[in-house]
Amino acid sequence: MSIDIVVLSFAALIGIYVAANIGANDLANAMGTSVGSRAITLKQALWISIIANLLGAVLAGGHVTSTISKGIIDPTLLTSEPNKLMFGMFAALISAGLWVHLATYFGLPVSTTHAIVGAVVGFGIISVGAGAVSWNKIITIAISWVISPAAGACVAGGAFYFAEKKILSARDPHTAAIHYAPALIFVVAMVLILSFIFKGLKNLHLEIGFFHTMLMTLPVAALSGLFGRRWVRWQVHLKCSVRPGQLGMSPVECVFAQLQVLTACYVAFAHGANDVANAIGPLAAIFSVVKTKSVVLQVEVPIWMLVAGGIAVGGGLVAFGTRVMETIGRDITEITPIRGFCAQFGAATTILICSRLGLPVSTTHVLVGSVVGVGIMRGMGTLDLRILKNIGLSWIVTLPFTLVLSMVLYKLLTIFML
């Protein structure tokens, strides 16, 4: 067996390991509010995650990726020494995978993107020097630790305030929920379609202007709202009687549970389109170096890598995702379908707005902030501050931990292999 086959096989195993950890943490926290509120069961979440995530990875995933993940390092500095890039990507993948695995074990939702960025910075510093690192990128990540959760908390908290005043406090909450259902479905459909075009399909570079996007979005959202009331009534009748049904939900909770199913499908698709690249990008770079014996600035990602990555992410959620889902959906604050809907709607809206404004945000951080925002509106006593403190520390530690571990692994690899 040639050394190239050994290297490629090892790289593929590491890439699948990282992808599985991304599913166990990143995708798990994205589905946590839906499962925690009982809008969907764990089994349904698993199937939605695997199918929608795989579709997102294959149909809208990054088929071309930059050799140096996330644009952290100037790639021209490594063109004469391709082996450095290969060992660096090995170190980055292993470091990010181990950190996300450790965080998942403790049930802590962390940003896998930040883990990969920290690991790439680590091997970049030790291989080509600190001057080659794009430190502005690192500063924007540090700023996002504050912007992401604060923005998510504001939008989700506002959504919950509206739901509480207009629906929960109404004389007949069920009638009020049906009354507002068309407007709610219109807004949810509009946010999901815009997010789908601007975030979920961004790798396809469709280049549709904002004006034309709105022209397409508004009629579809309006039709969704128009027929949504009947759909919601049918679903509520099907799954919940006037008294709490088999799922233990009141009819008004059933209304919001149906809306959460829509957001759960979108979240899983967008995750596959955007975050599978965190594991597949470095893997594609290693394959490129082994095959061409050179550093290529842009590499094609084979379809089988996207398929394998999408399946591994879904498999990771199945195997290890329970702990993180419990943290998001139960431990921070008690989540019901209404609170879960407000948190997911707040997160999706915040990510859409911040992306259009060019502000750096982490999906994980926004979602945690949204759950906290809903909890704050119910009263600070409803939040588990010990859990929040642990989550905050894990966010701060992510970057330096993966940075240092990547430096150590890169040094060991180059000592024994070069």
Side-chain angles (χ1 to χ4, degrees):
M1 185 181 294
S2 72
I3 186 66
D4 285 357
I5 293 177
V6 173
V7 171
L8 293 178
S9 301
F10 187 60
L13 287 175
I14 298 294
I16 289 172
Y17 168 72
V18 175
N21 278 295
I22 289 173
N25 196 296
D26 226 12
L27 187 54
N29 74 56
M31 303 298 286
T33 55
S34 300
V35 176
S37 69
R38 293 174 290 114
I40 54 176
T41 64
L42 180 60
K43 189 176 179 181
Q44 288 171 327
L46 299 180
W47 280 112
I48 289 173
S49 300
I50 291 173
I51 295 171
N53 189 72
L54 187 57
L55 286 173
V58 175
L59 297 179
H63 294 276
V64 178
T65 185
S66 85
T67 305
I68 305 296
S69 184
K70 308 296 177 189
I72 300 298
I73 304 172
D74 181 0
T76 58
L77 298 173
L78 288 163
T79 50
S80 60
E81 297 177 282
N83 282 341
K84 281 190 174 183
L85 172 66
M86 185 178 70
F87 290 129
M89 286 302 166
F90 265 116
L93 276 174
I94 296 171
S95 303
L98 288 175
W99 169 246
V100 177
H101 192 148
L102 189 63
T104 304
Y105 177 79
F106 288 106
L108 297 170
V110 295
S111 169
T112 53
T113 303
H114 292 185
I116 280 286
V117 167
V120 171
V121 169
F123 105 78
I125 290 174
I126 202 168
S127 62
V128 291
V133 175
S134 175
W135 291 105
N136 288 337
K137 195 105 177 176
I138 310 303
I139 291 171
T140 60
I141 287 175
I143 292 172
S144 79
W145 291 336
V146 178
I147 292 176
S148 304
C154 290
V155 179
F160 184 70
Y161 180 81
F162 172 83
E164 191 172 45
K165 290 293 179 187
K166 297 294 183 182
I167 297 174
L168 296 179
S169 301
R171 183 173 296 173
D172 183 350
H174 180 214
T175 303
I178 295 295
H179 173 73
Y180 284 106
L184 288 171
I185 293 172
F186 170 79
V187 175
V188 169
M190 190 170 70
V191 169
L192 293 188
I193 294 170
L194 290 175
S195 300
F196 192 73
I197 294 172
F198 290 128
K199 278 288 278 184
L201 301 180
K202 71 175 185 181
N203 291 320
L204 301 184
H205 305 291
L206 298 176
E207 296 181 0
I208 304 173
F210 183 77
F211 178 72
H212 290 97
T213 303
M214 291 303 292
L215 279 182
M216 291 188 293
T217 302
L218 287 174
V220 177
L223 280 175
S224 302
L226 198 61
F227 292 105
R229 188 202 298 263
R230 180 172 296 183
W231 175 72
V232 165
R233 275 183 168 160
W234 177 65
Q235 284 291 311
V236 171
H237 176 73
L238 192 68
K239 298 186 177 179
C240 293
S241 59
V242 175
R243 294 177 181 175
Q246 291 182 337
L247 297 176
M249 295 181 191
S250 67
V252 69
E253 286 177 326
C254 270
V255 174
F256 284 92
Q258 301 311 310
L259 296 176
Q260 261 198 292
V261 174
L262 295 177
T263 54
C265 292
Y266 159 71
V267 164
F269 182 90
H271 189 278
N274 296 300
D275 293 338
V276 170
N278 283 336
I280 299 306
L283 179 61
I286 292 171
F287 269 65
S288 174
V289 169
V290 172
K291 287 173 64 179
T292 65
K293 310 299 181 193
S294 64
V295 174
V296 181
L297 302 186
Q298 295 283 326
V299 295
E300 291 282 342
V301 181
I303 192 75
W304 69 263
M305 273 193 198
L306 292 168
V307 172
I311 293 174
V313 168
L317 175 74
V318 174
F320 310 111
T322 310
R323 289 193 175 190
V324 172
M325 276 197 276
E326 286 177 350
T327 301
I328 292 286
R330 190 189 65 188
D331 294 346
I332 295 176
T333 189
E334 185 186 356
I335 293 292
T336 63
I338 296 174
R339 297 168 199 158
F341 164 76
C342 293
Q344 276 193 328
F345 174 76
T349 307
T350 303
I351 292 166
L352 174 64
I353 294 172
C354 289
S355 297
R356 295 305 297 165
L357 294 175
L359 298 174
V361 292
S362 156
T363 303
T364 302
H365 296 186
V366 171
L367 188 59
V368 171
S370 298
V371 172
V372 172
V374 171
I376 289 174
M377 295 307 293
R378 296 175 58 219
M380 289 300 291
T382 64
L383 292 169
D384 189 330
L385 298 180
R386 184 185 61 84
I387 294 284
L388 289 176
K389 178 185 170 188
N390 290 339
I391 291 174
L393 284 174
S394 71
W395 290 356
I396 294 172
V397 169
T398 295
L399 214 59
F401 181 93
T402 53
L403 187 151
V404 173
L405 182 58
S406 178
M407 292 172 80
V408 172
L409 290 175
Y410 177 80
K411 194 68 182 175
L412 290 174
L413 285 170
T414 51
I415 287 174
F416 290 107
M417 303 299 289
L418 284 179

